[in-house]
Amino acid sequence: MTTDRPLGQDPAEDDVLDRFYGVIPAGGVGTRLWPLSRAAAPKFLHDLTGSGSTLIRATYERLRPLCDGRTMVVTGALHRKAVMAQLPELGKANLVLESEPKDSAAAIGLAAAILYRRDPKIIMGSFAADQVINPVEQFQDAVRAAVHTAAEGYIVTIGIKPTHPSTGFGYIRTSGSLGIECAPTAQGVAEFVEKPDQEAAEAYVASGEYHWNAGMFVAPVDLLLKHLETNEPLLYAGLMEIAAAWDTPKRREVVRRVWPGLPKTAIDYAVAEPAAAAGDVAMVPGVFSWDDVGDFAAIGRLNAASETNNLTVLGDGARVYADKATGVVVSDTKRVIALIGIDDVVIVDTPDALLVTTKEHAQQVKKAVEHLRASGDTDVL
Amino acid sequence: MTTDRPLGQDPAEDDVLDRFYGVIPAGGVGTRLWPLSRAAAPKFLHDLTGSGSTLIRATYERLRPLCDGRTMVVTGALHRKAVMAQLPELGKANLVLESEPKDSAAAIGLAAAILYRRDPKIIMGSFAADQVINPVEQFQDAVRAAVHTAAEGYIVTIGIKPTHPSTGFGYIRTSGSLGIECAPTAQGVAEFVEKPDQEAAEAYVASGEYHWNAGMFVAPVDLLLKHLETNEPLLYAGLMEIAAAWDTPKRREVVRRVWPGLPKTAIDYAVAEPAAAAGDVAMVPGVFSWDDVGDFAAIGRLNAASETNNLTVLGDGARVYADKATGVVVSDTKRVIALIGIDDVVIVDTPDALLVTTKEHAQQVKKAVEHLRASGDTDVL
């Protein structure tokens, strides 16, 4: 028994939680957060909440009480140094580098396969590196319940209770309590549904049977791999071959040969949806706030402006003069920024690129990035 | 007779125009054009019209057919190198450097006193370095008429026919034709009036007796100095002492001793207004467009946006991506600037300071500069 664990839990519980391993997939540039977020400095390497921590560090810290020393990160080879700098305690064995991006099924599947080779009884939890969650205690409670539920033989997604009929998230439809003693809130999952239209979203929220799909799940690695094998046998075979070589001198050679040919698909299609159809998916509700920081409007939400003005300023060296200005300023330079008479503005000031837009148009930043890529301005992407 | 002069003028006219000497006072930071315009790089050193010429170079070129080789610049010692780079043909004898700013009466009075010492028959014309005038031929015609009028013993202001009842300019009230043969448009000036309120401005324009005061004037240096002596005897005495030493080895010593103690006042109060009251001021109307580029909204006016969009972009290296954006972008860096969904915006991007405002708020840039000065951010002013 470690000293980190709350007193009063029985040994059986301890055993289940000891099997838990946190996996942090750190991918995705966060195009809508350009020019702050770049190919070379994606979203998860930034402090977007003014907390003083990057998103990946905050994700690691949030998991630490549950899996200190048992956390794995899967990221692009390009980000090796940056991730090691953010998570110096991670250790080489827990940093899985992709030579090229292969979408979430390969990334998460590789982590599952490596962990399965190390210990087939591991229950892994997958939590994206670029989410903002509060309060962390509620998150940790939900993960503990999910681990207990997973131990009963489920792939367990953590569903977020909707606060409004969002059309920006996928939903999870539940099918009633599973009656698990250590996880009384756990429910069966009937299906995953894609982002709905407004009418459907309102019906979902009104029914009380739907939760937001935040893409967080906890699963026994053997069960996850079983479903992967059924649905994506080529991907499964390739990942198992790589995993067998991973902790050996042959890793490099096998990765080089196998990884580039692996199919690209999302974990939702490769595992979660077919597993739900097979009755193997459960949901534990999370009663915490959750934001995937999808655009600069989110940064305004997550960094409440002071009461005296309605301008959110992010950036250590920010030198902002504002007169009748509201919105969000992200300063990644030491420049003086003067804002006069402009509302709901979004300004992102970096050494080689400047974005000026409004909160309302925050989603359209992606289009600017696509345009810049098409016109060859890739030096700033 | 020089080859530059139009054919068909009689020798008497030539004589009068030969007495003409252009003086370009190049002072004033242009605070409302911050952060483009700075103490170290004031308005007149920028190309604000997209013409490829700085304002001071354009001013020099505009005068050149009238006074090639007889043009003097009065500016701050700080701008010596920049002005010489802009006007390499100027020559040391025609560059008057102020060791510290002393307002327009001292600057223009010193030029008058130096020119008077060189040749008491000179007729000088004073034209600020930071104005935009079109078409130049109309301007040159007005200056020629003003020189002829000045030769009759007048201080001659060039008045701009108002296009609207502006409350941002001073006005000149005329008192009828002077009947000068070579300058039939010349009129007597009854008085100069300060910037009016809206009602007064409308009455002025309706009366037909008022013109805008653009601060341009042509005057025999002896007449100008006579009025200066009457109204500002201390300033006059100091300037004459400096002028006596100017083209001698004693210049440095005398300037050091005398200049710092000179009174600070505007040429309007020291010469123009009292001379008008004495009946010594005339006006020649200018039928050209005139803009003092007072703020960034003026830059939008002066640089018509292309027909396909309503965004004016200034700056050699500008890399602007605009999507549903209108307004003005001044780029003094090589950065990519992305604008999305924002109207009538003003963006001025310089290496150490960024301004984001709207055309409507362009006048309030001055307040930002004052705030930055007060808070000690003088490195960017």
Side-chain angles (χ1 to χ4, degrees), chain A residues 253-270:
Chain A
E253 181 267 312
V254 175
V255 166
R256 268 197 193 166
R257 178 167 47 77
V258 176
W259 185 261
L262 292 181
K264 271 185 167 180
T265 183
I267 191 77
D268 310 69
Y269 307 136

Side-chain angles (χ1 to χ4, degrees), chain A residues 116-279:
Chain A
Y116 177 80
R117 295 283 307 191
R118 291 182 187 165
D119 177 356
K121 292 180 71 61
I122 282 175
I123 296 171
M124 72 179 269
S126 174
F127 307 93
D130 52 10
Q131 303 192 340
V132 175
I133 286 169
N134 275 301
V136 291
E137 293 76 13
Q138 295 284 351
F139 164 79
Q140 290 155 355
D141 285 349
V143 175
R144 283 190 197 96
V147 175
H148 285 294
T149 307
E152 302 293 319
Y154 289 100
I155 294 172
V156 189
T157 181
I158 297 177
I160 311 292
K161 200 174 160 54
T163 56
H164 62 280
S166 171
T167 58
F169 303 130
Y171 284 71
I172 301 161
R173 181 162 68 88
T174 52
S175 57
S177 174
L178 292 173
I180 295 171
E181 199 183 346
C182 298
T185 61
Q187 301 174 53
V189 166
E191 62 171 341
F192 291 93
V193 291
E194 302 268 343
K195 294 176 186 177
D197 62 22
Q198 190 64 37
E199 197 183 345
E202 282 167 14
Y204 291 175
V205 173
S207 75
E209 289 178 0
Y210 289 80
H211 282 66
W212 287 337
N213 180 4
M216 294 181 252
F217 68 88
V218 174
V221 286
D222 56 357
L223 179 60
L224 187 150
L225 291 168
K226 191 192 90 180
H227 282 285
L228 187 65
E229 183 177 17
T230 305
N231 301 300
E232 288 284 345
L234 284 175
L235 179 58
Y236 170 81
L239 293 176
M240 292 307 279
E241 185 178 358
I242 293 172
W246 195 263
D247 292 324
T248 76
K250 289 162 68 182
R251 181 202 296 184
R252 200 184 169 89
E253 181 267 312
V254 175
V255 166
R256 268 197 193 166
R257 178 167 47 77
V258 176
W259 185 261
L262 292 181
K264 271 185 167 180
T265 183
I267 191 77
D268 310 69
Y269 307 136
V271 173
E273 293 178 9

Side-chain angles (χ1 to χ4, degrees), chain A residues 319 335-336 340 350 357 377, chain B residues 319 335 340 350 354 357 377:
Chain A
R319 297 170 71 189
R335 304 199 310 165
V336 165
I340 303 170
T350 75
T357 185
D377 291 310
Chain B
R319 298 170 70 187
R335 304 199 309 164
I340 303 169
T350 76
L354 168 69
T357 185
D377 291 310

Side-chain angles (χ1 to χ4, degrees), chain A residues 34 319 321 323-324 333-342 345 347-358 361 364-369 371-372 376-380, chain B residues 34 319 321 323-324 333-342 345 347-358 361 364-369 371-372 376-380:
Chain A
W34 179 88
R319 297 170 71 189
Y321 164 79
D323 180 20
K324 301 196 192 82
T333 73
K334 302 289 177 195
R335 304 199 310 165
V336 165
I337 302 175
L339 303 181
I340 303 170
I342 197 157
V345 75
I347 294 176
V348 185
D349 184 45
T350 75
D352 60 356
L354 168 69
L355 170 71
V356 179
T357 185
T358 64
H361 292 83
Q364 280 149 54
V365 171
K366 188 172 185 172
K367 208 171 120 192
V369 171
H371 174 93
L372 292 168
D377 291 310
T378 50
D379 55 316
V380 297
Chain B
W34 179 89
R319 298 170 70 187
Y321 164 78
D323 180 21
K324 301 194 192 85
T333 73
K334 302 286 177 198
R335 304 199 309 164
V336 165
I337 302 176
L339 303 181
I340 303 169
I342 195 156
V345 75
I347 294 178
V348 185
D349 185 44
T350 76
D352 59 355
L354 168 69
L355 170 71
V356 179
T357 185
T358 65
H361 291 84
Q364 280 148 55
V365 171
K366 189 173 183 170
K367 208 171 122 195
V369 171
H371 174 93
L372 292 168
D377 291 310
T378 51
D379 55 316
V380 296

